[in-house]
């Protein structure tokens, strides 16, 4: 008897058996592991490097000045080395999530999630009327509170924390 696999999306629970057959590994109703996650091109890596400092400063107000200085000087090689952890399908498109850990001077770890995702880009005329739309790859940052939303309670979060 074959098991059905479902993931939670903005449109409700969606059967993901076709993804499992393509090689995705099922973690839970929120996450899969993509056998071929999206990779970052040089332009995206430069964007991450240029915007990481402001994101960390805004999202983690208690981070030390020394840690912020380290973030300001982060190399593209360090950003490239972050591990891929899972794929999310909240909007029914791929969202590949990578983890970047930042260690503060008091040994506190800040988890920054770098998400590369597929989204719809709408092309409008100068009157605001839709001309066309296309799928594009984008990059964004998320913090620990975003990651906590994948779990129903604190115990489950702590058990699954990366």
């Amino acid at each position: 008897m074959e098991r059905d696999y479902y993931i939670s999306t903005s449109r409700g629970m969606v059967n993901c058996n076709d993804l499992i057959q393509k090689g995705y590994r099922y973690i839970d109703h929120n996450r899969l592991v993509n056998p071929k996650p999206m990779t970052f091109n040089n332009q995206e890596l430069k964007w991450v490097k240029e915007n990481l400092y402001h994101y960390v400063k805004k999202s983690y107000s208690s981070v030390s000045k020394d840690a912020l200085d380290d973030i300001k000087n982060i190399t593209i090689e360090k950003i490239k080395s972050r591990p891929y952890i899972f794929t999310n399908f909240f909007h029914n498109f791929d969202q590949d999530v990578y983890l970047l850990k930042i260690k503060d001077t008091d040994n506190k770890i800040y988890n920054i999630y770098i998400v590369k995702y597929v989204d719809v880009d709408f092309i409008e005329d100068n009157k605001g009327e839709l001309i066309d739309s296309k799928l594009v790859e984008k990059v964004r940052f998320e913090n620990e509170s975003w990651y906590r939303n994948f779990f129903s309670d604190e115990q489950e979060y702590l058990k699954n924390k990366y």
Side-chain angles (χ1 to χ4, degrees):
M1 191 162 123
E2 201 173 297
R3 176 180 171 196
D4 280 336
Y5 294 93
Y6 290 89
I7 50 177
S8 179
T9 71
S10 60
R11 296 180 180 168
M13 297 301 280
V14 174
N15 187 311
C16 63
N17 283 350
D18 59 327
L19 294 171
I20 303 296
Q21 289 174 356
K22 290 178 185 174
Y24 284 75
R25 187 167 49 88
Y26 185 81
I27 298 176
D28 59 28
H29 68 277
N30 287 312
R31 302 167 298 161
L32 301 170
V33 173
N34 188 342
K36 296 177 186 168
M38 290 180 272
T39 57
F40 295 87
N41 63 37
N42 284 334
Q43 183 180 347
E44 292 163 335
L45 289 167
K46 283 171 57 178
W47 181 90
V48 170
K49 180 178 173 25
E50 291 167 5
N51 292 281
L52 182 62
Y53 172 83
H54 296 292
Y55 177 79
V56 171
K57 191 173 177 180
K58 181 181 80 175
S59 296
Y60 297 103
S61 58
S62 61
V63 71
S64 73
K65 183 186 177 322
D66 290 342
L68 283 172
D69 288 345
D70 287 345
I71 293 164
K72 211 180 257 188
N73 299 320
I74 196 168
T75 64
I76 286 183
E77 291 306 311
K78 166 79 172 152
I79 296 167
K80 275 184 182 178
S81 71
R82 78 279 166 260
Y84 163 74
I85 56 174
F86 67 89
T87 300
N88 180 32
F89 285 87
F90 186 69
H91 294 291
N92 292 354
F93 299 121
D94 251 337
Q95 296 188 126
D96 290 340
V97 180
Y98 297 82
L99 176 62
L100 182 63
K101 288 181 179 274
I102 296 168
K103 192 172 185 180
D104 208 341
T105 52
D106 61 357
N107 288 330
K108 183 170 182 174
I109 303 277
Y110 296 94
N111 291 321
I112 310 297
Y113 299 92
I114 305 170
V115 185
K116 181 158 182 182
Y117 62 106
V118 176
D119 202 1
V120 178
D121 223 3
F122 296 104
I123 303 164
E124 300 175 341
D125 62 16
N126 56 4
K127 296 177 186 172
E129 293 184 22
L130 182 65
I131 298 173
D132 198 5
S133 62
K134 62 182 177 180
L135 290 176
V136 293
E137 292 181 355
K138 296 182 179 182
V139 179
R140 72 174 191 270
F141 297 117
E142 296 290 354
N143 62 27
E144 195 70 26
S145 63
W146 170 82
Y147 183 65
R148 283 177 187 263
N149 288 328
F150 287 106
F151 304 98
S152 57
D153 60 43
E154 189 70 11
Q155 288 304 105
E156 186 186 352
Y157 161 73
L158 293 172
K159 184 176 75 176
N160 288 285
K161 187 172 181 182
Y162 286 93

